[in-house]
Amino acid sequence: IGLGAYNALTWRMLAGVVVSGVPYALSRPRMPPNAVLKIHLVRGTVSAIMAFLFFWGLGRVPMAQAIALSFIAPIIALFLAALILKERITRATTIATAMAFAGVLVILWGQARAELGPQAFWGAIAILASAVFYAWNIILMRQQSLVAGAGEVAFFQTIIVTAVFLL
């Protein structure tokens, strides 16, 4: 806790580069095609932003509330899957999603009225933004899994997130 979320994330990712990099290097991989590298780069950047926003928000919002707000990610992922991956959404799913989203709005409404101060409100906004990036990350994971193996995905994910954090 004393180290801070940003530093803890950066050190974790640096360790991840070693843990994922050694087995990946031992597999003697070829350089992925540019289209695959682009997916790796986008997902790594999205993951870095997602993590930073979540932990920044968590420092300003009670943990239970942060977790509850982050539950909007699967809702967003559902619609992104329809938009990007052309998956079909049923009527029942749409109704259930609307009900879940109403719950998130109730949490935000309560947050805006609480006496936690403006930092808590901005923390809640950061958590919601993180959830949007997480939803996109879910779609990117699906796309990545179609074009790259697990070792490659793990290595590029950690090296790109690490690079973003170090910047």
Side-chain angles (χ1 to χ4, degrees):
I1 292 173
L3 185 63
Y6 168 76
N7 287 323
L9 283 168
T10 302
W11 282 106
R12 180 216 180 265
M13 295 312 296
L14 281 167
V17 168
V18 174
V19 170
S20 66
V22 170
Y24 183 65
L26 291 174
S27 73
R28 298 181 179 252
R30 291 182 301 176
M31 186 60 127
N34 287 341
V36 175
L37 283 174
K38 182 180 176 185
I39 293 173
H40 291 323
L41 182 62
V42 170
R43 180 167 176 242
T45 303
V46 165
S47 294
I49 294 167
M50 171 195 75
F52 178 80
L53 286 171
F54 182 80
F55 285 106
W56 187 88
L58 190 58
R60 288 149 183 81
V61 180
M63 185 181 289
Q65 189 171 10
I67 298 302
L69 288 172
S70 69
F71 285 156
I72 195 171
I75 296 168
I76 297 166
L78 175 72
F79 292 103
L80 284 177
L83 181 70
I84 297 170
L85 302 175
K86 308 296 184 216
E87 292 186 1
R88 189 174 168 272
I89 302 173
T90 65
R91 177 179 219 156
T93 303
T94 303
I95 292 168
T97 300
M99 292 170 63
F101 186 69
V104 171
L105 291 177
V106 167
I107 293 168
L108 264 184
W109 180 64
Q111 176 69 46
R113 298 173 48 107
E115 297 296 325
L116 298 174
Q119 285 295 316
F121 179 75
W122 289 113
I125 297 299
I127 297 290
L128 288 173
S130 173
V132 171
F133 279 98
Y134 181 61
W136 187 14
N137 189 38
I138 291 169
I139 303 304
L140 290 167
M141 280 189 278
R142 172 92 181 259
Q143 291 175 320
Q144 235 179 353
S145 71
L146 298 173
V147 295
E152 179 180 317
V153 169
F155 173 70
F156 280 96
Q157 174 74 7
T158 56
I159 197 124
I160 292 167
V161 173
T162 302
V164 171
F165 283 164
L166 289 175
L167 288 175

